[in-house]
Each structure stands twice: as structure tokens, then as C-alpha cells.
Amino acid sequence: NGVMQGGRNEAWGANERESLTIFYGAGWELKNYSAKFGVNGKFDTFSDNNTGQLLGWYEQCPLEVLNARVYGGDAVFIDTTHNATTYSFKTGPPSVIDCFGHTAPAGICQVREEEIDSMVDMLDALQLNAPGATLATDGGPAWPEVARVHRQHQIEDTWHNCENGDTKAAVLSNKKNKDRFKELKSKALYQVFSPEELLDDIFTELRSLAGG
């Protein structure tokens, strides 16, 4: 345990002052030019003008800068995970879809709250603000306005759609209807349709099962 703690102290600092020194040092190194990728990385922080308190920060390694530039005009996936740190920052690791259909990282940011102004600023800084792109998020109240500011198309991402579908199915009293609802939900979200199948038909049946 002592060896492990010593390693953690060396890597991340033994106290808050050391940790912040390492944090800022690593961030500034990211901003150096990368000969391999031909771009600089990014790092910056936002602080309260009166108290100096850290309000948020973001960073992109050079590859993530390119991912954002090349693929961010198609679709951006982002959600902020709550209580990710001791200081209650919300962590947002945005991603894009690359030319191989794989998820590719496009940076990371942390904010105090998932609210409109902070997320608009972060997506601007990370160059994930391309008009016309699809912005896939959770159902948080800030996201529709963030998308409107950037003239993007906001949708709820597949994972949250799946979770919300399970919640909706759980209130159905008839087991047969509940199982059918989950089956249709999974089909709509994850399966490739045959030419004769229509998504509207699935939605119609889902609404019927849900009672509306």
C-alpha cells in the first residue's frame, strides 16, 4: 500500500497544490505542436473573475483536435457524468464517429453544472459546434438550447433512449405487452430493417402499447 501511495503521489501529487501544478503542467504540454499530426493540442481553464475558483476546463490531444475537425460536422456524442471528482465537477468526454464507423474521442471537459452557457462555450472551444451536425445527448434540459445556438440537430442518444424505454415498459401491467414493448424498442434502436419494414410502423405499435 505504501508503494502504491507513493506512486500515486508522484503521478498526481500528494496534496491539492501539487496536483494542480501537475494538472496545469500536463495541460500546457498538450498545447505543443505535434509533428506527427501537424496540429497543436488544446488546453484551457475557466475561472471566476472575483474568487479565482476553477469553473471548468477542457483539453484535446492533437489526434482529438483532428477528430473534431474532420468528423465533428457529422455527429457529436456528449453527456456529462455527475460527481466525477471530489469537487463535484461534471465530466464530459465528447466523441465522434470516424470513417470506419467507430467511436473516436474528441477531447474532454469538466464543468460545475450542465447548463447552457458552459456547454456552448465548451463545444465552441473543442470545435464541436458545426452547424447542421447532429448533437446526441441525454435528456438534460440544457441540450436543446445548446443545439439551437449552434444550429445543430439534437437527439437523445441510444443508451438513454434504451433506458427510458425500459422505464416506460416497467409500468405496463400486462407481461406480454411489456415484453413486446422491449422487443420493439430494441429493434428500433439497434437492428437493421428489411426493405419492407417501416420505422413509423414500430413507433405506432409502441405508442399503442404505451396507451397513447
Side-chain angles (χ1 to χ4, degrees):
N1 289 340
V3 173
M4 291 177 64
Q5 186 61 52
R8 284 194 290 267
N9 290 347
E10 183 178 351
W12 309 114
N15 52 52
E16 185 171 318
R17 181 179 294 276
E18 287 185 13
S19 295
L20 282 173
T21 300
I22 294 171
F23 167 71
Y24 278 99
W28 282 102
E29 282 188 21
L30 269 182
K31 301 176 73 170
N32 293 333
Y33 178 79
S34 168
K36 179 178 180 179
F37 296 107
V39 295
N40 294 75
K42 293 183 179 181
F43 170 77
D44 205 355
T45 62
F46 300 91
S47 301
D48 185 280
N49 291 330
N50 296 317
T51 67
Q53 183 183 39
L54 183 66
L55 300 178
W57 62 275
Y58 67 89
E59 69 177 35
Q60 282 175 318
C61 68
L63 177 58
E64 290 172 329
V65 171
L66 292 181
N67 284 341
R69 289 181 184 177
V70 175
Y71 304 115
D74 297 323
V76 176
F77 296 80
I78 185 170
D79 182 24
T80 57
T81 303
H82 289 226
N83 302 322
T85 74
T86 301
Y87 302 97
S88 297
F89 274 100
K90 279 69 175 175
T91 302
S95 60
V96 293
I97 303 299
D98 68 14
C99 59
F100 302 105
H102 298 158
T103 301
I108 190 170
C109 64
Q110 286 190 327
V111 292
R112 291 282 176 180
E113 297 294 339
E114 186 183 84
E115 50 86 32
I116 296 168
D117 290 341
S118 63
M119 297 317 302
V120 165
D121 290 343
M122 288 300 180
L123 292 183
D124 284 342
L126 296 169
Q127 287 185 274
L128 296 171
N129 55 357
T134 296
L135 183 64
T137 70
D138 66 0
W143 292 116
E145 181 62 16
V146 173
R148 188 197 66 79
V149 170
H150 290 144
R151 292 179 291 152
Q152 296 176 327
H153 309 288
Q154 189 255 345
I155 63 171
E156 190 171 67
D157 63 58
T158 304
W159 188 89
H160 286 94
N161 259 304
C162 187
E163 290 293 298
N164 291 339
D166 285 344
T167 300
K168 188 69 175 178
V171 304
L172 300 179
S173 57
N174 184 290
K175 185 179 185 304
K176 183 178 179 181
N177 288 348
K178 182 181 299 186
D179 291 342
R180 178 61 175 166
F181 190 97
K182 289 185 175 182
E183 177 190 347
L184 290 171
K185 175 210 67 174
S186 296
K187 184 179 182 66
L189 290 174
Y190 298 114
Q191 295 182 21
V192 177
F193 288 13
S194 62
E196 65 273 11
E197 291 179 305
L198 296 176
L199 187 59
D200 284 347
D201 292 340
I202 290 182
F203 285 152
T204 297
E205 187 174 353
L206 283 168
R207 284 192 289 266
S208 175
L209 290 169

